[in-house]
Amino acid sequence: MARQPLQVIVIPFKECESVGYRFAVFHRADNSMWQFVAGGAEDDETAEQTARREAEEEAGIPKGARFFRLDSRASVPRTAFSPTEHWPRDIFVVPEYSFAVDVSGHELELSDEHDKVSWLSFKEATRRLTWESNRVALWELNERLNTHKIDELQAVDDR
């Protein structure tokens, strides 16, 4: 499997009675970063396929869970990834696509990539996250959830 120049983040969320929405933020086992599920496309995967695979691998989220593609996008410098020798030399930034997944009724199962997960409110998660792109995607998701606009997003099919 070859890593391709396409990155995704996936925000697991659930609605909790009396406290509102909570978002799962993960601590990487290899350093002190807090982030959402993240990873890159392999071979000829689409962004949607990558999001489902990464969510299953990193957090045990079933591929059949309800995924949504957010509008938030970012660019990550090529130097953040390795190996990249097989990529065309004119690729300088990698697109990062954002997804949300409703994990109500599912228990998360951490992979070795993460040593902690915290279920946080929007404000707590915003403070904890390391990457600005994660905060922007979280803001979009929170706005959509609070204005009941999540259903306007295209649900990601299970292909």
Side-chain angles (χ1 to χ4, degrees):
M1 288 181 279
R3 169 74 159 86
Q4 297 303 314
L6 183 150
Q7 180 76 2
V8 300
I9 60 171
V10 180
I11 307 172
F13 72 93
K14 63 183 176 181
E15 188 171 15
C16 301
E17 284 186 42
S18 76
V19 295
Y21 290 100
R22 292 294 180 257
F23 307 93
V25 180
F26 301 82
H27 183 263
R28 287 191 55 94
D30 60 356
N31 57 37
S32 61
M33 288 191 288
W34 286 90
Q35 63 184 40
F36 294 122
V37 168
E42 295 175 355
D43 299 323
D44 61 350
E45 280 182 324
T46 65
E48 290 82 2
Q49 291 166 333
T50 303
R52 286 186 184 277
R53 178 184 48 75
E54 289 290 345
E56 184 177 49
E57 289 175 2
E58 293 186 20
I61 298 169
K63 287 185 179 178
R66 195 168 174 213
F67 282 75
F68 301 92
R69 186 175 190 147
L70 299 172
D71 291 337
S72 299
R73 291 185 182 87
S75 296
V76 182
R78 174 191 187 124
T79 56
F81 307 99
S82 75
T84 61
E85 303 83 35
H86 62 285
W87 293 359
R89 294 179 60 118
D90 61 347
I91 293 178
F92 297 100
V93 295
V94 174
E96 179 182 77
Y97 298 95
S98 302
F99 295 86
V101 58
D102 184 351
V103 295
S104 302
H106 299 291
E107 291 295 321
L108 300 184
E109 301 169 17
L110 293 183
S111 69
D112 292 341
E113 191 170 330
H114 301 103
D115 57 10
K116 295 179 217 165
V117 61
S118 294
W119 283 101
L120 304 172
S121 69
F122 168 73
K123 286 183 182 180
E124 293 167 326
T126 299
R127 284 192 295 270
R128 178 103 34 113
L129 289 165
T130 300
W131 305 108
E132 182 64 20
S133 66
N134 284 218
R135 287 190 288 274
V136 170
L138 174 62
W139 180 87
E140 177 191 350
L141 174 58
N142 189 62
E143 288 295 305
R144 288 182 180 282
L145 291 169
N146 288 327
T147 59
H148 308 287
K149 301 286 186 185
I150 190 72
D151 291 324
E152 290 181 4
L153 288 175
Q154 179 181 357
V156 175
D157 65 22
D158 194 18
R159 284 186 243 159

